[in-house]
């Protein structure tokens, strides 16, 4: 494809294509229990969650976690999540939307802050890998922003996509900030980690279904 080929979507994984809210909340509460924090509900999580993740913990602790506390909580979170993610599946309609976007002649890729070595076999296991021209998970420490990862992701696609015709679809404010960082657009989905109110404060389109997200992406990239 040339630089002016077609619209491109960069999909988020956790909370967007992968409906893993139950595993995320369970893992978060398992991590909180290590510091004696009370468990929280999905609604509380959506109201408070932010990145970098230590800032999220600060909202509940009243202070930033120490390095030792962060290492402990992060380890517990990932062990619990890995154990319980097997019960989670794709968001309703996701596979059909991916196939439809591809069959319409558009391109798409996947960028997640989930570890790359864990992400790739998970995506492959759902039989959707072929829909993406690139799949990137996080490399390096967890807990940071997506912006620099987004920059590297699009740089790796140089010649295949144009930032001005690229739309990031995700469930977190950080997805929109990462899109802004590279000159792309964003659509935010309410089915994941953030409340509608917190998403609407970012100033990009907010939708309640992935079908609406794809329709909005098509409009933005036209």
């Amino acid at each position: 494809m040339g630089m002016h080929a077609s619209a491109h979507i960069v999909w988020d994984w956790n909370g967007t294509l992968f409906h893993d809210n139950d595993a995320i909340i369970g893992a978060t509460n398992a991590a909180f229990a290590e510091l004696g924090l009370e468990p929280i509900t999905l609604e509380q999580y959506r109201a408070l969650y932010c990145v970098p993740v230590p800032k999220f913990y600060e909202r509940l602790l009243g202070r930033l976690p120490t390095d030792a506390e962060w290492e402990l909580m992060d380890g517990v979170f990932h062990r619990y999540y890995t154990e319980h993610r097997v019960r989670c599946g794709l968001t309703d309609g996701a596979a059909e939307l991916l196939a439809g976007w591809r069959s319409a002649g558009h391109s798409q890729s996947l960028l997640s802050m989930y570890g790359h070595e864990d992400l790739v076999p998970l995506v492959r296991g759902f039989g959707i890998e072929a829909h993406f021209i690139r799949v990137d998970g996080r490399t390096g420490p967890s807990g940071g922003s997506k912006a620099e990862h987004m920059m590297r992701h699009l740089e790796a696609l140089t010649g295949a996509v144009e930032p001005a015709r690229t739309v990031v679809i995700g469930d977190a404010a950080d997805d929109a900030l990462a899109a802004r960082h590279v000159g792309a657009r964003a659509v935010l989905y309410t089915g994941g980690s953030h409340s509608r109110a917190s998403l609407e404060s970012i100033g990009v389109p907010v939708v309640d279904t992935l079908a609406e997200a794809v329709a909005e992406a098509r409009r933005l990239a036209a």
Side-chain angles (χ1 to χ4, degrees):
M1 290 183 294
M3 284 294 288
H4 301 285
S6 65
H8 181 80
I9 291 175
V10 178
W11 289 95
D12 174 55
W13 181 244
N14 303 96
T16 304
L17 289 175
F18 190 44
H19 188 65
D20 59 351
N21 290 341
D22 288 345
I24 290 286
I25 294 301
T28 298
N29 285 330
F32 286 173
E34 292 296 319
L35 297 189
L37 292 170
E38 291 296 317
I40 63 172
T41 65
L42 176 60
E43 289 70 29
Q44 290 171 314
Y45 181 92
R46 284 174 166 165
L48 295 170
Y49 181 74
C50 63
V51 294
V53 177
K55 285 284 188 182
F56 169 51
Y57 291 155
E58 181 182 25
R59 293 181 173 184
L60 294 139
L61 283 170
R63 60 174 174 80
L64 281 170
T66 65
D67 289 345
E69 287 171 337
W70 163 252
E71 187 174 346
L72 173 65
M73 296 172 79
D74 193 47
V76 169
F77 178 95
H78 286 290
R79 284 194 298 274
Y80 183 101
Y81 180 82
T82 298
E83 180 182 345
H84 289 82
R85 75 182 186 195
V86 296
R87 303 190 186 118
C88 303
L90 296 178
T91 301
D92 287 346
E96 293 79 10
L97 288 167
L98 293 172
W101 184 259
R102 181 185 178 198
S103 66
H106 305 307
S107 61
Q108 56 200 329
S109 58
L110 175 60
L111 175 63
S112 173
M113 294 299 281
Y114 191 45
H116 185 77
E117 298 304 319
D118 294 313
L119 174 69
V120 172
L122 188 55
V123 172
R124 189 171 294 147
F126 282 112
I128 58 173
E129 185 181 22
H131 294 313
F132 305 111
I133 60 174
R134 187 175 182 89
V135 174
D136 282 329
R138 172 185 50 79
T139 56
S142 62
S145 170
K146 204 172 194 174
E148 292 305 318
H149 295 270
M150 184 69 72
M151 179 70 77
R152 289 192 293 271
H153 183 73
L154 287 193
E155 285 175 350
L157 296 175
T158 298
V161 305
E162 185 178 2
R165 297 201 67 200
T166 296
V167 180
V168 176
I169 297 178
D171 68 315
D174 195 46
D175 291 303
L177 298 177
R180 193 173 298 163
H181 184 70
V182 297
R185 311 290 286 275
V187 179
L188 297 178
Y189 163 62
T190 62
S193 62
H194 281 38
S195 67
R196 172 174 273 279
S198 64
L199 294 178
E200 288 178 338
S201 70
I202 306 302
V204 302
V206 176
V207 298
D208 296 318
T209 69
L210 293 188
E212 291 175 284
V214 170
E216 191 66 19
R218 186 177 294 109
R219 183 186 70 80
L220 291 173

